Amino acid sequence: MSDPFILAGKTYASRLLVGTGKYKDMAQTKAVIDASGAEIITVALRRLNLSKEGSLQDVFDPKIYTYLPNSAGCYTAEDAVRTLRLARELGGWTLVKLEVIGDKQTLYPDVAETLKAAEILVKDGFQVMAYTNDDPIAARKLEDAGCVAVMPLAAPIGSGLGILNPHNIRMIVEQSKVPVLVDAGIGTASDAALAMELGCDGVLLNSALADAKNPLMMAEAMKQAVIAGRLAYNAGRMPRRETASASSPEEGIISAAKI
């Protein structure tokens, strides 16, 4: 691939990461994720029943998909660390998504607790992808702590509001030496395309698919949007101008007087 997506030392073809929650059943989950082309799927530990027939791992072969356990629902660094250590015990996973929520109403991240947990997990041998707010300072501190990726929100979790602060997302991209993935708040394909046009390395979403009127169709739309957005970013957009600029140059125009 001429433009590979490299995360924690592994190369992926798809820059779209997809969650496995909120779908009506496992059949729909499988169909939607297949349509999205995602190779990395996020999972909450409560969905990983290793003994039950028809569990997530029976449907999504761990040899094909990269599982990304997350600490969703944790409100302290201690709980997040315990949860992700349990993930390692259950499946041997060390690439994890760290998520420490500040309160139940906004579901915004608690940055101080996130940073605390990240430092512990990195020292414990985890490859940490950290969910955070759209603050360049917080993103820099998480990268300095050893996180393999930073994941600023576009908008509150499950809101579908799209990227509320593109300027901050761009600043995070420009300063970061690790992959930057927009996580939370994506609502439709144009939101995903914008994230990629801003230079993000990838997009993680769940509700945008599961809550769509046609999740399967939206999955295909998101797949194409991420590809188109990355192509546009690499192509380099034209400069914005305050005035019009004719598509055809005026030089060499044959005047009516000469005809």
Side-chain angles (χ1 to χ4, degrees), residues 56-220:
L56 201 65
Q57 290 188 103
D58 292 329
V59 177
F60 297 99
D61 187 346
K63 294 179 181 178
I64 298 175
Y65 295 90
T66 294
Y67 277 59
L68 185 63
N70 64 50
S71 55
C74 294
Y75 290 84
T76 67
E78 181 181 4
D79 284 346
V81 169
R82 183 186 305 111
T83 298
L84 295 175
R85 281 175 174 167
L86 178 57
R88 182 169 61 183
E89 291 298 317
L90 285 172
W93 298 293
T94 56
L95 179 65
V96 295
K97 177 189 169 185
L98 172 61
E99 182 177 320
V100 185
I101 299 301
D103 66 74
K104 293 182 179 181
Q105 181 176 2
T106 66
L107 298 181
Y108 273 109
D110 185 323
V111 175
E113 289 292 293
T114 300
L115 182 58
K116 180 180 175 182
E119 291 171 342
I120 295 170
L121 290 166
V122 169
K123 289 180 181 178
D124 201 15
F126 284 89
Q127 296 172 304
V128 179
M129 300 173 64
Y131 169 65
T132 185
N133 57 25
D134 58 356
D135 175 7
I137 305 303
R140 187 182 66 206
K141 288 183 176 181
L142 288 164
E143 180 177 346
D144 290 344
C147 292
V148 299
V150 291
M151 307 177 75
L153 55 79
I157 292 174
S159 67
L161 291 173
I163 299 178
L164 298 182
N165 198 338
H167 178 65
N168 275 24
I169 298 295
R170 184 182 289 111
M171 284 196 295
I172 292 172
V173 168
E174 290 175 352
Q175 75 178 18
S176 298
K177 296 180 177 62
V178 298
V180 176
L181 298 91
V182 161
D183 180 13
I186 297 295
T188 191
S190 57
D191 301 332
L194 175 57
M196 301 307 294
E197 289 174 8
L198 290 171
C200 291
D201 296 276
V203 171
L204 191 154
L205 49 84
N206 190 171
S207 297
L209 301 183
D211 291 344
K213 292 182 179 179
N214 188 325
L216 200 64
M217 191 180 295
M218 184 60 77
E220 178 65 30

